Amino acid sequence: MLTQGRVEDTSLMRFQYINGLNSLNHQLSNYSAWLNGTTSNFSLPVEDPNTTPLVQAFLTLGSELDPSQGSYYSNMTGFWHGDLHAHNLTSLNTSEAASPWRHLSEQFILPTNLSAVPELLGPWNWTRSNKLAVSIGDKLISFERDGIAHKNIAVIHGRLDLSDPGSSDELRLDFEGIHVLSTGTIYAMAESGGRSMDIRHLPALVPDRFRNDTARAVETELKARIDKLKEKIDAGSFDQDTSDADDSPTTKCSFRFYAQLNATTVPKELMDELENEIDKPTGITTVSAPEMALEGVLLSQNCGMLYEIKHTIGVQSRRLHRKITTYSGCAALVNLALVALYRRQAAHSDTAIGLSRVSRYTFLIQSLIDAISFIGHVTLGILAEGRSSLSALAPAALACLLFVYEAQMVIQIGLIQAPEDAPASVQPPPPPAATNAPQTPPAQGGNAQAEGEQPPPPPPPPRRPTYLQFLWTHIRTDPAARLWTLMSLSLIVVFRIVMALSLPLFFISSLYSCMWLMQIYRSACRTRSSGLSAEYMIGTTLGRLYFICYFLGCPKNILDVGPRRWVYAVGLFMFVQVFVILLQERLGPAFFVPKRFSRAQTYDYHPPMPLPDPEAPDQSLGDCAICMDAILVDPSLRRRSKSSDSKERPVIGRAGGILQKVGGVKKTYSLAPCHHLFHTECLERWLAIKNICPQCRRPLPPL
């Protein structure tokens, strides 16, 4: 069934490709006939004469430059980001009504059907759009006419993404256009995704002096597209159409896109050398690359909308891929240093005592940060093309390795510190004393059971828990299961935030801000220093800050994310936390906490114990579960007191046979939560190796 479905899909796509090929052949034949002046069904549409004056009111179109004084970029292939300013031509505000272009807009929208405008606009909020992302593919068209080679026209295509600051959605417009190299001007038509465009209409957009060259360039481009489509059909390589599955906002507005590149002061010869070196690097020294910038206008007559495109900065694809490769190399080195720092700290804190001093949440937060880093770098590798996509996988792999290491550390710390979170064990009461009361003899006749009395019913069988009840009980009682569940839920949240882009910066900044804060809190509550080395804390802080400062502090990062000033406050706050932890090592874990709040609640290994029988030959509390020797009571601490029967009984600490918590006695014995008794010295040596009871294997809290 699956194979049959694939065959049907392939046959359907092949049929669609063949229909598209026939349509292009038909368009080319009519277009070529029109160019040659023979009978044709094609005619070039006439543009509204008010379009060019209205565009020039907002945009100064370029002119040809002196090649020795300046030049334009000839290859615009790359990614651009800029600002938008909307003008609703059907409803001008007060300042727009007083502008010099008001009468031009009134003439421009005369053919507009105002009653149909709301339906054409669709659900998109046009007036709130303030950012624009442009992806351009620039293809130079070379052709000969009258024996002269012409290389002044390039066919461009790409997309315009309009963003709304109040929403994560984007309005995507596909465009086809012409790039006039000598003037650095772009003339294009744009439609919402899924709506077709006829590139044969492009000559109507350009000035008259470029119309013939544009018409020949369009004919050459049509032939190239037909040849490419034939190759795909012959090879059986069909691209899956995902336009129907795209749920992004759409519109029925038709746009014209006009843009002008900013002129540079680099002579034409040096600019050509620079662009050749960018496209095919040879290692020669060239002039410094000037900034790629443009201004533009996005205009729709049937919807009465006009957008000013300002401060649009671009980076060529080749240069962007080099930036991605350079960044990936630096990120891989940073992650490698973080792995080395972690391994050294893990070896230093490998004992049970070392793990009991560090906070599990510090490593849990770092594991979440590495999970975000892994997802981000994998996404970058998918979106990038060529070798840069492979280079982005190196920091992703190291981030994944760090995540695994830190997740294992969280589980180990949780197992060691689990007894601290449990309530303190209560010493069970001593069994009641045996009495010598005579037992009641059985009833005569030999039957203990009274006549006519039924035997008690058997107890009901235990109810078998459901799967959800068993799972909930297992998560509550097993520390490892609880930690894995917490980490799994955290990863789901991380994936959701990264993919949906909902409050990602707030989430990331919160993780960075709390990374060392949890260690400060644990050290102060448990009155034990962290055991984290200064090398690890300072190196890890610098490594973590590299990523957040690059993307949120550098204005020319590879993702073109705008700088955020608060990122420096986050970095300063992290170093303040590191400084506090270092002070805790020198001044005490709770040096900043008032004394009345600085008492830590820990398990007491030296509870009051009943004294042994005074007539016993060995005055011991029992045998140590580690060395198997007797735990002797210090005779100097015993004293004699009288009980209620006027007999003197030996006790330690107070009357009543209860051992007081005396400083010297604490060093003699230790009672674990599982009620196993040890020499204190034996238990200290054992806990330095393992943090479990040597008899019942139950986890033990720190001594």
Side-chain angles (χ1 to χ4, degrees):
M1 296 292 292
L2 294 176
T3 306
Q4 183 180 358
R6 291 195 205 99
V7 172
E8 292 178 355
D9 292 342
T10 304
S11 301
L12 179 60
M13 287 188 290
R14 182 180 181 86
F15 177 74
Q16 293 174 349
Y17 270 58
I18 292 176
N19 285 342
L21 179 61
N22 294 333
S23 176
L24 284 178
N25 282 322
H26 180 71
Q27 292 179 15
L28 178 61
S29 60
N30 285 324
Y31 187 70
S32 298
W34 174 77
L35 282 178
N36 297 328
T38 58
T39 304
S40 172
N41 294 329
F42 174 78
S43 61
L44 192 67
V46 178
E47 286 291 302
D48 192 314
N50 296 299
T51 302
T52 300
L54 181 60
V55 171
Q56 290 179 339
F58 296 92
L59 179 66
T60 302
L61 299 179
S63 59
E64 297 186 5
L65 303 175
D66 183 356
S68 62
Q69 300 296 325
S71 61
Y72 300 101
Y73 274 99
S74 62
N75 188 356
M76 296 181 59
T77 301
F79 305 92
W80 304 69
H81 293 81
D83 300 328
L84 287 177
H85 181 64
H87 298 282
N88 187 355
L89 302 182
T90 62
S91 178
L92 299 178
N93 57 34
T94 305
S95 60
E96 293 171 341
S99 62
W101 49 267
R102 178 182 61 82
H103 68 285
L104 296 174
S105 65
E106 293 174 349
Q107 295 295 321
F108 178 75
I109 63 173
L110 285 178
T112 304
N113 184 1
L114 298 181
S115 61
V117 167
E119 180 183 357
L120 296 175
L121 289 174
W124 184 252
N125 192 339
W126 296 91
T127 57
R128 286 177 57 90
S129 302
N130 61 354
K131 294 293 182 180
L132 176 70
V134 187
S135 176
I136 300 178
D138 196 328
K139 178 182 177 182
L140 178 63
I141 303 297
S142 178
F143 59 91
E144 289 188 2
R145 190 178 62 191
D146 301 331
I148 301 175
H150 292 262
K151 296 183 179 180
N152 189 39
I153 301 297
V155 174
I156 63 173
H157 65 277
R159 68 174 186 267
L160 305 166
D161 293 325
L162 284 69
S163 60
D164 180 0
S167 171
S168 59
D169 294 331
E170 292 183 340
L171 177 66
R172 175 168 296 181
L173 302 175
D174 298 326
F175 70 88
E176 299 274 2
I178 294 297
H179 173 204
V180 181
L181 273 63
S182 59
T183 62
T185 312
I186 294 173
Y187 308 89
M189 49 188 179
E191 296 283 351
S192 183
R195 304 187 66 189
S196 61
M197 291 172 285
D198 192 348
I199 65 173
R200 297 178 300 173
H201 297 166
L202 289 177
L205 303 180
V206 301
D208 293 339
R209 66 182 187 274
F210 302 121
R211 187 160 297 169
N212 289 335
D213 289 349
T214 301
R216 293 297 176 185
V218 169
E219 181 185 29
T220 304
E221 176 64 14
L222 279 174
K223 293 178 180 179
R225 293 186 180 185
I226 289 173
D227 293 337
K228 184 177 181 179
L229 197 56
K230 286 181 179 179
E231 292 178 359
K232 286 191 173 184
I233 294 174
D234 294 339
S237 175
F238 306 116
D239 298 330
Q240 185 70 31
D241 186 10
T242 59
S243 58
D244 296 336
D246 189 5
D247 57 352
S248 58
T250 58
T251 179
K252 296 180 181 178
C253 300
S254 297
F255 287 89
R256 296 292 183 263
F257 175 41
Y258 300 88
Q260 177 60 50
L261 283 171
N262 292 351
T264 69
T265 58
V266 179
K268 184 69 170 62
E269 182 180 358
L270 296 179
M271 177 61 74
D272 292 341
E273 183 182 59
L274 172 64
E275 292 193 289
N276 290 334
E277 181 64 20
I278 293 175
D279 187 47
K280 297 179 180 179
T282 60
I284 64 173
T285 303
T286 62
V287 296
S288 299
E291 184 179 64
M292 288 181 63
L294 61 80
E295 308 287 330
V297 170
L298 189 61
L299 183 64
S300 174
Q301 187 174 42
N302 63 340
C303 290
M305 288 297 301
L306 184 146
Y307 279 107
E308 288 184 80
I309 303 175
K310 300 180 177 180
H311 314 299
T312 306
I313 308 299
V315 56
Q316 290 181 328
S317 297
R318 298 281 185 177
R319 295 179 61 188
L320 178 60
H321 293 161
R322 291 184 186 178
K323 288 181 64 175
I324 293 176
T325 303
T326 303
Y327 160 78
S328 300
C330 296
L333 292 176
V334 171
N335 279 341
L336 193 62
L338 290 176
V339 171
L341 289 171
Y342 168 82
R343 296 294 295 172
R344 295 187 62 173
Q345 180 60 45
H348 177 69
S349 303
D350 195 29
T351 62
I353 293 180
L355 293 176
S356 66
R357 299 165 67 185
V358 297
S359 171
R360 75 190 80 174
Y361 297 104
T362 294
F363 291 93
L364 177 61
I365 290 173
Q366 292 191 67
S367 67
L368 293 179
I369 293 175
D370 289 319
I372 296 175
S373 177
F374 171 73
I375 298 170
H377 286 102
V378 169
T379 305
L380 179 62
I382 294 173
L383 297 179
E385 299 176 356
R387 296 179 179 178
S388 58
S389 62
L390 297 177
S391 62
L393 297 181
L398 291 172
C400 182
L401 182 63
L402 268 173
F403 168 76
V404 172
Y405 280 154
E406 288 156 353
Q408 292 176 346
M409 174 66 82
V410 170
I411 294 174
Q412 292 178 2
I413 296 174
L415 294 176
I416 295 299
Q417 299 177 1
E420 299 182 25
D421 302 329
S425 301
V426 179
Q427 185 75 15
T435 61
N436 297 324
Q439 298 182 357
T440 304
Q444 294 182 359
N447 289 331
Q449 185 77 23
E451 293 185 3
E453 185 177 348
Q454 298 294 332
R463 185 179 178 183
R464 186 176 182 180
T466 63
Y467 174 75
L468 293 179
Q469 291 175 341
F470 169 77
L471 181 62
W472 175 247
T473 305
H474 182 62
I475 292 175
R476 290 181 58 188
T477 56
D478 188 356
R482 188 163 58 249
L483 284 173
W484 276 114
T485 303
L486 178 62
M487 294 190 64
S488 301
L489 294 177
S490 302
L491 283 179
I492 293 174
V493 173
V494 169
F495 273 95
R496 181 62 182 170
I497 289 178
V498 172
M499 299 306 295
L501 297 179
S502 57
L503 299 178
L505 297 183
F506 175 78
F507 179 73
I508 294 174
S509 62
S510 300
L511 291 179
Y512 272 80
S513 301
C514 299
M515 191 170 75
W516 302 116
L517 203 61
M518 306 307 296
Q519 181 61 60
I520 297 174
Y521 175 78
R522 175 172 180 80
S523 298
C525 288
R526 301 296 175 179
T527 62
R528 291 193 298 269
S529 59
S530 65
L532 299 176
S533 65
E535 175 191 54
Y536 173 73
M537 291 187 293
I538 296 175
T540 300
T541 302
L542 290 174
R544 300 295 182 191
L545 286 177
Y546 167 78
F547 296 99
I548 191 173
C549 288
Y550 175 76
F551 287 107
L552 300 180
C554 178
K556 295 185 178 181
N557 57 80
I558 57 177
L559 298 181
D560 200 31
V561 179
R564 305 293 197 276
R565 293 184 178 274
W566 51 260
V567 69
Y568 302 107
V570 172
L572 179 61
F573 185 55
M574 291 182 67
F575 276 108
V576 169
Q577 296 175 41
V578 172
F579 183 67
V580 171
I581 295 177
L582 294 177
L583 288 180
Q584 286 180 313
E585 298 284 343
R586 292 181 173 272
L587 304 180
F591 73 93
F592 55 90
V593 181
K595 291 184 178 180
R596 63 179 181 273
F597 300 117
S598 62
R599 294 181 180 178
Q601 297 180 357
T602 57
Y603 177 77
D604 183 14
Y605 273 94
H606 312 288
M609 295 283 291
L611 281 172
D613 188 352
E615 298 180 358
D618 294 331
Q619 292 296 303
S620 67
L621 299 176
D623 294 338
C624 175
I626 297 177
C627 68
M628 306 307 293
D629 289 339
I631 303 176
L632 300 177
V633 177
D634 189 354
S636 63
L637 296 176
R638 288 184 294 167
R639 66 181 183 182
R640 309 187 67 83
S641 66
K642 291 185 179 181
S643 62
S644 59
D645 57 358
S646 301
K647 293 183 178 180
E648 292 186 352
R649 300 185 184 276
V651 295
I652 297 181
R654 71 180 182 203
I658 301 299
L659 178 64
Q660 282 277 31
K661 291 189 284 185
V662 183
V665 181
K666 288 185 179 181
K667 299 179 182 179
T668 304
Y669 73 95
S670 292
L671 183 66
C674 52
H675 304 291
H676 290 128
L677 201 60
F678 310 93
H679 286 115
T680 302
E681 295 180 357
C682 295
L683 186 60
E684 287 178 348
R685 290 194 296 268
W686 173 264
L687 289 179
I689 303 173
K690 291 185 178 181
N691 208 49
I692 59 176
C693 177
Q695 281 196 334
C696 64
R697 299 297 181 183
R698 175 179 173 176
L700 297 178
L703 181 59

